[in-house]
């Protein structure tokens, strides 16, 4: 499971706030964990604001505890340097806030949901500012078949992948391997099934804040974090904050307009996996 929330913007006028919070508090504790929950939670017996949040809470409580050893091995903090973003030269984070800082603008974490359904399935979380594009996406990479059914087929096979695009251009894409039609043996080729909400429904989707404000007006709190959810997320993040507060910890620099520090890729590569970028 790969979950990415990236931004091409820097801190802008939020520098004074951001320098006290960082990407871990600002994005991981709230936004990324709230994307983990609907993907990993069990379906409630019926859809109600409390039953949905009960299931989300179970996911947060099942996240693997972050010991100092796990933090050192399975987390990466970064901070953007000067670079080229959206076709324009950009300043470094330190230049934008006006002083040298150890605040992270990028976070990559490998974790697990330790329950019967998700045991052994890695969750790779990634978020950052001044990255190559603005994107919120969930990628579900399915297991490879344990045995090739067509050993003499032509063409490479790869695991099926479901890309869920949250923003922009909301939609879903299922990547799979299909047999080319016609005689002459079995020829396999990767293909995709696409769902674009804008194309399928022919209307503009409201942006995140429009939906948020409408839910407030209607009193619908289903997708808002309940107090016990906030506490569970804060409890899980706290050991990472404590470890990163050590004087020896410094975020890794990455040029603006890139995918973040190179070290973040090693979280997947050492497991024999690769980052599934948007196509």
């Amino acid at each position: 499971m790969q979950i990415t929330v990236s931004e091409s913007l820097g801190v802008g006028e939020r520098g004074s706030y951001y320098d006290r919070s960082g990407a871990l508090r600002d994005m991981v504790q709230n936004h990324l964990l709230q994307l983990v929950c609907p993907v990993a939670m069990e379906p409630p017996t019926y859809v109600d604001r409390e039953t949905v949040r009960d299931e989300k809470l179970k996911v947060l409580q099942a996240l693997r505890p972050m010991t100092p050893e796990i933090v050192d091995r399975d987390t990466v903090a970064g901070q953007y340097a000067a670079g080229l973003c959206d076709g324009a030269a950009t300043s470094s984070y330190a230049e934008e806030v006006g002083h040298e800082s150890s605040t992270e603008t990028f976070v990559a974490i490998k974790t697990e949901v330790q329950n019967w359904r998700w045991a052994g399935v890695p969750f790779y979380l990634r978020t950052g500012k001044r990255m190559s594009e603005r994107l919120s996406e969930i990628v579900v990479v399915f297991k490879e078949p344990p045995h090739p059914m067509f050993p003499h087929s032509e063409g490479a096979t790869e695991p099926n992948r479901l890309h869920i695009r949250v923003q922009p251009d909301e939609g879903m894409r299922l990547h799979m391997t299909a047999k080319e039609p016609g005689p002459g043996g079995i020829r396999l080729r990767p293909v995709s099934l696409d769902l674009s909400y804008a194309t399928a429904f022919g209307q503009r989707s409201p942006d995140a804040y429009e939906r948020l404000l409408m839910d407030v007006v209607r009193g619908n709190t289903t997708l808002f974090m309940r107090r016990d959810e906030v506490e569970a997320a804060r409890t899980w993040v706290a050991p990472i904050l404590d470890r990163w507060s050590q004087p020896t910890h410094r975020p890794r620099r990455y040029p603006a307009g890139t995918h973040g520090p190179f070290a973040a890729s090693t979280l997947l590569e050492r497991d024999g996996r690769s980052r599934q970028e948007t196509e």
Side-chain angles (χ1 to χ4, degrees), residues 8-67:
S8 58
L9 296 174
V11 295
E13 297 179 355
R14 300 174 64 224
S16 59
Y17 156 76
Y18 198 90
D19 208 42
R20 296 192 302 270
S21 61
L24 188 62
R25 289 190 184 97
D26 186 52
M27 294 299 295
V28 175
Q29 183 175 324
N30 301 307
H31 300 284
L32 266 76
L33 292 185
Q34 284 298 295
L35 291 178
V36 171
C37 288
V39 172
M41 76 181 199
E42 298 296 326
T45 53
Y46 60 94
V47 176
D48 176 80
R49 63 186 181 185
E50 296 306 326
T51 58
V52 170
R53 294 194 288 186
D54 287 344
E55 296 300 332
K56 289 165 61 183
L57 176 62
K58 293 176 185 178
V59 174
L60 295 173
Q61 292 173 334
L63 289 172
R64 181 185 61 181
M66 301 299 287
T67 64

Side-chain angles (χ1 to χ4, degrees), residues 79-119:
Q79 185 185 104
Y80 62 82
L84 192 66
C85 200
D86 290 335
T90 60
S91 303
S92 67
Y93 174 79
E95 291 171 327
E96 290 189 354
V97 299
H99 58 84
E100 288 296 320
S101 173
S102 60
T103 299
E104 77 284 352
T105 63
F106 174 96
V107 177
I109 299 174
K110 174 189 173 184
T111 188
E112 294 179 11
V113 178
Q114 295 182 323
N115 59 22
W116 281 30
R117 180 181 295 278
W118 296 105

